[in-house]
Amino acid sequence: PATEGEVAAGADGTEKPRTTVRVVAMSDTHGFEGMLHVPKGDLLVHCGDIMPGKVWKSSAKEQLEDFALWFKSLQFKRKLIISGNHDERSFFQKVIRDTLGDKVLLKEGETTCLGLNIYSLPYSNSRGGFGYTPVPPGVDILLSHEPPWGILDESLFPARDWSEAGKFARERGLERSPHIGSPSLWRQLGRV
């Protein structure tokens, strides 16, 4: 991050003063958010898997409502959420939007927040976590639920064929892939 007084090129090519934005990121809270110590910051992002794998309360919807109230109580200038693979339930978007507002839950695409260009890639069953569209140039923050290939993506189940990741490994002469990350996201990061 730049410090106050530095100048950065804007998307339109003009120079604009830049200030520091402290970003706090989290993901995979799975119902344990109350155990977290969340540091102070300007922008809070949750990169998916809010919903727990098991329902501890009377309903999964009640657990999600508790998360939304907890997230709302955190003091940040802005908050953003993308969904993870555990968050694809019929009521997820409605509860988040009803509690936190329309500008919090992001779909795939670009947005600007606190002067930062953000590109979001929430999990999608339709692509199984793979096959991303190109990430545009000029992105300051990339939000994704899945990691790119080979970056903190080692699997406990290396014998599984992880679709595009398995194909990607075979193309490189690897018998089995211990990685579950997205090869297409990996290629995009190399370009960006």
Side-chain angles (χ1 to χ4, degrees):
T3 58
E4 189 110 18
E6 287 186 11
V7 175
D12 60 1
T14 61
E15 291 187 352
K16 299 177 182 178
R18 179 182 263 185
T19 58
T20 301
V21 176
R22 184 168 184 188
V23 179
V24 176
M26 64 177 69
S27 72
D28 295 272
T29 50
H30 292 289
F32 293 103
E33 60 276 347
M35 299 172 68
L36 295 176
H37 165 74
V38 181
K40 292 181 181 180
D42 302 303
L43 173 61
L44 175 62
V45 297
H46 193 296
C47 292
D49 276 6
I50 291 166
M51 297 297 300
K54 294 184 178 182
V55 177
W56 299 305
K57 297 195 175 184
S58 61
S59 73
K61 186 176 179 186
E62 182 183 345
Q63 287 178 201
L64 180 59
E65 289 166 344
D66 286 351
F67 167 85
L69 292 172
W70 171 81
F71 200 74
K72 185 176 183 176
S73 75
L74 299 173
Q75 299 299 307
F76 285 81
K77 291 177 186 174
R78 288 288 310 275
K79 300 170 194 171
L80 302 173
I81 295 173
I82 62 170
S83 61
N85 55 302
H86 285 263
D87 302 328
E88 294 204 328
R89 301 191 184 175
S90 59
F91 54 82
F92 180 80
Q93 290 187 12
K94 181 174 179 11
V95 169
I96 294 297
R97 288 204 168 104
D98 286 354
T99 308
L100 301 172
D102 287 336
K103 294 184 178 181
V104 173
L105 186 62
L106 298 179
K107 296 179 180 178
E108 184 170 334
E110 295 180 74
T111 191
T112 302
C113 182
L114 300 178
L116 298 169
N117 296 321
I118 298 172
Y119 194 81
S120 57
L121 294 166
Y123 183 85
S124 169
N125 271 336
S126 64
R127 66 172 181 255
F130 301 107
Y132 291 108
T133 56
V135 176
V139 171
D140 296 310
I141 297 176
L142 175 64
L143 301 180
S144 173
H145 181 65
E146 300 86 30
W149 168 270
I151 301 175
L152 300 174
D153 72 330
E154 290 187 27
S155 172
L156 297 175
F157 309 103
R160 286 180 83 173
D161 179 14
W162 290 91
S163 182
E164 188 185 2
K167 179 182 173 194
F168 189 74
R170 288 188 299 277
E171 288 172 354
R172 281 150 183 77
L174 303 172
E175 188 174 312
R176 289 187 177 162
S177 169
H179 298 285
I180 60 169
S182 171
S184 58
L185 183 54
W186 179 81
R187 287 188 288 271
Q188 290 298 318
L189 289 176
R191 186 186 59 75
V192 174

